[in-house]
Amino acid sequence: MSLLGAKKGKELGFSDFVSSAVRGLFMPYFSLPIIVLGVAVGYATDLVLKPILVDGFENVGSIGAMAGPIATASGISIITGIFIAVYGQIYGALATSAKAGTPTIGEAFAVIGQRGLSVFAAGLLVTLATVGIFIVGLVVVIGGAIAANAGGVTTGLFILFLVVFIYLSMRLGQAGWFAADGMGAIDAVKASWSRTQGHLMKIFFWSLGGAVVFTAVGALVGLLTSSLPTAIGSSIGTGVGLVFTYASGAVLYRRITAK
């Protein structure tokens, strides 16, 4: 099974973007590692933080006693999140490549060994560029506006920098996919900037429409897992959401790069 179904390149439309998410959920080599890891992290985090939440912060004893579990939970979440992102993008790239078919977990891990660092580095560069520019610009300009008691200016500047953030996210957001497809990190960022030209409206509206559909499906998953322990049920929902994100993201990438 391919995430693209029977279509290729420029034949892909918004319906394929959405349907690929469901298709990805029924590709066990793709969905199970992501969902299982999500559940494991959710359960582990719950075990680490539950004593603090149950006993209350005032009964923990010291800030140091709180910092340890919080740092542990954060570290587990960050490391696992990075791995899921790398696995999701590389598997998605393989499952939508010219070689139609379903990659095995072993094949995906073999490619991760070759391209995983580039995917991580590309994602890090994009995060630093988008979030860094947004935060620094916002702090500097809004700080000046507040100093001048110009509240209206502050609101306008916030909207401006939000638009800049969204624009940069769309122009650079395909870098991880280019890296998963075999490019180095810096070349992937450059390719994302150049290849998204002329596709920004597609990226924006497909992403917006997909968010609405996937949120509705996520709510349904939440109802189906409501009888499970909270940590497990919410983790399953998060895992399903991540499968949808990477499956549909792979289709959008193939549509943008189609010749």
Side-chain angles (χ1 to χ4, degrees):
M1 179 190 296
S2 169
L3 281 173
L4 300 181
K7 295 183 179 179
K8 295 181 180 179
K10 291 187 177 181
E11 298 175 349
L12 298 168
F14 178 71
S15 61
D16 303 295
F17 175 78
V18 174
S19 63
S20 66
V22 179
R23 196 176 293 117
L25 197 60
F26 290 93
M27 296 173 68
Y29 293 154
F30 180 41
S31 59
L32 284 183
I34 294 175
I35 295 174
V36 169
L37 275 175
V39 171
V41 170
Y43 188 69
T45 302
D46 185 62
L47 286 178
V48 171
L49 296 181
K50 194 171 184 179
I52 295 177
L53 299 176
V54 171
D55 296 337
F57 289 100
E58 68 279 1
N59 297 323
V60 173
S62 68
I63 295 178
M66 288 191 298
I70 292 174
T72 300
S74 300
I76 292 173
S77 298
I78 291 172
I79 292 172
T80 308
I82 291 172
F83 177 79
I84 289 175
V86 171
Y87 185 86
Q89 288 182 297
I90 285 181
Y91 195 99
L94 292 175
T96 56
S97 65
K99 178 187 174 183
T102 305
T104 65
I105 293 178
E107 290 172 337
F109 270 96
V111 178
I112 287 174
Q114 301 167 3
R115 307 176 186 173
L117 184 59
S118 294
V119 175
F120 167 72
L124 182 61
L125 288 173
V126 170
T127 300
L128 291 175
T130 54
V131 177
I133 290 174
F134 178 78
I135 291 178
V136 172
L138 203 59
V139 168
V140 171
V141 180
I142 290 181
I146 292 176
N149 295 318
V153 174
T154 302
T155 302
L157 288 173
F158 176 79
I159 295 174
L160 172 62
F161 279 102
L162 182 61
V163 171
V164 171
F165 174 76
I166 293 173
Y167 175 78
L168 289 175
S169 297
M170 290 191 295
R171 291 301 302 270
L172 301 176
Q174 301 299 313
W177 292 106
F178 280 103
D181 224 9
M183 285 190 178
I186 295 177
D187 288 336
V189 173
K190 292 178 180 178
S192 180
W193 184 267
S194 63
R195 297 294 292 275
T196 52
Q197 180 68 36
H199 295 285
L200 295 185
M201 297 302 289
K202 183 184 287 87
I203 294 172
F204 180 78
F205 285 110
W206 281 27
S207 299
L208 184 62
V212 173
V213 175
F214 301 154
T215 298
V217 175
L220 177 60
V221 172
L223 290 175
L224 295 175
T225 59
S226 59
S227 60
L228 298 173
T230 303
I232 295 177
S234 62
S235 298
I236 291 175
T238 300
V240 170
L242 289 170
V243 172
F244 285 179
T245 297
Y246 294 116
S248 60
V251 171
L252 178 59
Y253 167 69
R254 292 303 179 191
R255 177 62 185 86
I256 290 171
T257 56
K259 296 180 179 180

